[in-house]
Amino acid sequence: MAEPADLMDKLVSLCKRRGYIFQSSEIYGGTGSVWDYGPLGVELKRNVKEGWWSAMVHQRDDVEGLDAAILMHPRVWEASGHLAGFSDPLIECKSCQRRFRADLPEVQDRQCPVCGTRDAFGQARQFNLMFKTFMGPVEDAASVIYIRPETAQGSYVNFLNIQQAARQKVPFGIAQIGKAFRNEITPGNFIFRTREFEQMELQFFVKPGTDEEWFEHWRAARMEWHVANGVRKDKLRFHEHGSDELAHYAKKAFDIEYKYPFGWKEFEGIHNRTDFDLSRHQEFSGKRLEYIDPGTNERFIPYVVETAVGVDRTMLVALIDGYREEIIAGEERVVLGLHPKLAPIKAAVFPLVKKDGLPERAERIHAALRQAAIPSFYDETGSIGRRYRRQDEAGTPWCVTVDGQTTEDGTVTVRDRDSLKQVRVAEDRVLAWIRERLDTR
Ligand code: GAP
């Protein structure tokens, strides 16, 4: 079935109904572009982060993990260029006093996107996207501190600490998952662009001259990761930054883009940041950040290849990509076809009826799954069809039903969310059956 025209609205309401995502401070009317993750959302988020961490850290010898603080020395943001350059052009409509990014297409056409007035814009001015606050009890210029807009700088300032403590040799990387904050002028599209979000960033330090090869390596690896998460290949593409798009620190950059219902837009960014960051931190801190090659005694400032993707954006892509409306035997069903490793609940266990000892047998299977830390959901209310539909919408890959035949031969039905195929599995083999599929899919 074709993607519904109002898919984003449907997704927002499904996410609320099923406990994936709620608007922050909703009972007070909400906070602009900030979202809370409910019981299923927090599981999806953990699965996204765990998948990234295993691919980037646990499965490699050459990447170390870091969890740097959100609050950093203010000089960090001078050195990184964020104080001077991390801004968007802002323009105000003199008629309705609303403010917009000056590069919006409507604004470029000289028409206000809210009140429709033509030619009522003032002069564009630069608006810095970093949130600032004060450290300590005195609120003066000397105590201004910024809330980090990216995790990357924590990895740069800890480059030598980690290289020495972990006894790594260049090439090696530092991986971080953590919150970042940006006072975006035009956030929106649900969790696509928010003011508080989480990033998964790798800074990979390489010898100058080998940077282009490593850049190509990471560009390919990151695309493969998204495909392995189940994202449809025809909805992913690369976009190379032209000279007018390149960030101040980048020599070369590619975005991995996804075809969202609101168009092709950035999903992940891969940048060749050269030695810009380490050189600047060396200059601003006065501390040497050179690497000394133990084999040749050669000294150099490594180049950095960075891969940076949002946790929230990865969740949004999984939700959009998985959302399907289907007609099955004349009835509509909504399915979240999440990859099993991302699905918040792996299996739902139902007794077909609430008698004949079926609930007790179903509860035993459910308890065994929980004991093995496989998120399982027990449900004995409503018709079996309704129970299946609730799980389809929640993205649960397998539903296990204990029925009349179970009492005869000890087998249960396991229904696959996507193919709708049902197979019979011995009740004491359900845990192993699910484990096998989680390991191989
Ligand atoms: N350290 C490089 C960096 O931060 P970026 O392209 O500004 O680069 C990296 O951000 C990724 O973080 C983006 O590709 C996107 O997935 C995510 N991201 C950035 N801003 C975001 C926002 N306001 N809301 C949600 N995710 C965001």
Side-chain angles (χ1 to χ4, degrees):
M1 207 186 244
E3 189 174 280
D6 51 353
L7 192 149
M8 289 308 289
D9 293 339
K10 287 181 159 166
L11 204 57
V12 173
S13 94
L14 183 150
C15 284
K16 181 171 179 193
R17 194 165 65 243
R18 288 286 165 234
Y20 269 97
I21 304 169
F22 310 117
Q23 199 184 1
S24 160
S25 317
E26 190 188 294
I27 60 168
Y28 287 97
T31 319
S33 288
V34 187
W35 299 87
D36 295 343
Y37 293 103
L40 297 193
V42 73
E43 293 295 328
L44 173 58
K45 200 176 202 204
R46 286 173 63 104
N47 295 340
V48 163
K49 292 195 273 186
E50 272 165 28
W52 186 88
W53 197 260
S54 354
M56 305 300 265
V57 183
H58 290 168
Q59 292 173 6
R60 304 185 63 99
D61 285 327
D62 57 358
V63 176
E64 303 289 342
L66 172 70
D67 184 5
I70 288 173
L71 301 177
M72 300 184 74
H73 195 287
R75 291 274 285 165
V76 165
W77 307 111
E78 279 178 53
S80 69
H82 282 82
L83 257 184
F86 191 55
S87 50
D88 275 343
L90 178 80
I91 208 158
E92 185 173 313
C93 169
K94 287 184 181 148
S95 172
C96 69
Q97 272 81 47
R98 295 288 183 87
R99 291 169 181 174
F100 310 96
R101 273 172 69 146
D103 52 6
L104 282 182
E106 300 95 315
V107 175
Q108 304 253 296
D109 286 347
R110 307 200 323 271
Q111 181 157 26
C112 174
V114 169
C115 69
T117 312
R118 288 194 78 83
D119 294 321
F121 292 120
Q123 278 291 355
R125 62 189 174 84
Q126 290 301 316
F127 174 79
N128 196 294
L129 301 183
M130 281 197 294
F131 281 100
K132 44 178 168 176
T133 185
F134 301 96
M135 181 109 119
V138 183
E139 297 192 0
D140 62 8
S143 53
V144 165
I145 194 151
Y146 299 92
I147 306 184
R148 73 175 176 203
E150 61 169 14
T151 65
Q153 300 304 322
S155 298
Y156 304 140
V157 300
N158 278 297
F159 161 68
L160 278 187
N161 281 341
I162 290 184
Q163 185 263 316
Q164 287 160 6
R167 296 171 50 230
Q168 280 285 0
K169 294 195 180 88
V170 167
F172 80 97
I174 301 178
Q176 277 206 79
I177 299 180
K179 289 252 178 165
F181 301 80
R182 296 182 189 177
N183 199 1
E184 300 277 3
I185 309 171
T186 44
N189 286 320
F190 197 23
I191 53 168
F192 175 78
R193 186 174 287 120
T194 54
R195 294 194 167 104
E196 172 174 345
F197 56 101
E198 216 166 346
Q199 291 187 310
M200 304 186 282
E201 296 198 303
L202 170 77
Q203 314 303 323
F204 201 77
F205 301 90
V206 305
K207 190 172 177 187
T210 64
D211 48 308
E212 289 178 16
E213 212 175 301
W214 277 108
F215 183 85
E216 287 309 317
H217 166 84
W218 282 111
R219 184 159 87 89
R222 294 306 303 148
M223 183 62 106
E224 276 167 31
W225 187 77
H226 293 299
V227 173
N229 268 346
V231 182
R232 282 179 271 172
K233 272 191 185 160
D234 60 337
K235 292 218 166 188
L236 291 167
R237 71 177 188 195
F238 283 113
H239 162 73
E240 182 169 10
H241 284 207
S243 51
D244 53 332
E245 292 170 277
L246 278 177
H248 58 276
Y249 48 71
K251 158 176 160 187
K252 189 168 190 166
F254 274 81
D255 286 341
I256 294 177
E257 291 188 332
Y258 179 76
K259 193 175 182 201
Y260 303 87
F262 42 89
W264 284 100
K265 295 207 181 304
E266 179 178 346
F267 182 3
E268 166 151 8
I270 298 128
H271 285 88
N272 182 341
R273 298 181 66 131
T274 70
D275 58 359
F276 176 85
D277 302 277
L278 290 182
S279 302
R280 293 274 292 190
H281 285 304
Q282 174 165 290
E283 180 191 334
F284 279 67
S285 69
K287 299 276 172 358
R288 288 188 107 150
L289 291 177
E290 287 169 337
Y291 172 74
I292 306 169
D293 187 309
T296 61
N297 276 335
E298 205 184 342
R299 288 169 174 269
F300 59 87
I301 294 190
Y303 268 34
V304 171
V305 175
E306 175 189 61
T307 75
V309 67
V311 176
D312 315 73
R313 208 167 281 184
T314 308
M315 294 172 70
L316 180 64
V317 168
L319 292 166
I320 292 173
D321 210 65
Y323 184 96
R324 299 197 304 269
E325 291 173 356
E326 292 173 351
I327 307 286
I328 305 285
E331 272 195 52
E332 190 184 274
R333 72 163 188 156
V334 172
V335 190
L336 262 191
L338 298 174
H339 191 290
K341 70 185 172 197
L342 295 183
I345 303 170
K346 309 299 180 197
V349 188
F350 313 141
L352 186 63
V353 289
K354 279 193 263 183
K355 57 182 187 185
D356 304 332
L358 304 191
E360 291 74 9
R361 294 178 97 125
E363 286 202 37
R364 272 202 297 277
I365 298 173
H366 168 63
L369 290 167
R370 284 259 171 214
Q371 189 67 34
I374 294 181
S376 159
F377 183 78
Y378 177 81
D379 190 3
E380 56 177 29
T381 54
S383 72
I384 194 75
R386 269 182 73 88
R387 281 182 266 169
Y388 281 150
R389 278 197 297 280
R390 279 202 288 262
Q391 294 307 318
D392 288 344
E393 245 196 21
T396 308
W398 299 291
C399 288
V400 179
T401 306
V402 176
D403 54 21
Q405 197 180 323
T406 315
T407 53
E408 290 163 21
D409 65 6
T411 64
V412 295
T413 36
V414 183
R415 168 194 180 264
D416 184 276
R417 176 197 64 203
D418 301 325
S419 67
L420 294 174
K421 281 207 184 103
Q422 302 204 3
V423 290
R424 291 208 74 89
V425 177
E427 59 190 326
D428 55 2
R429 281 259 319 140
V430 170
L431 170 60
W433 190 96
I434 287 176
R435 262 209 187 119
E436 279 161 25
R437 274 145 194 90
L438 285 174
D439 280 350
T440 53
R441 282 170 82 161

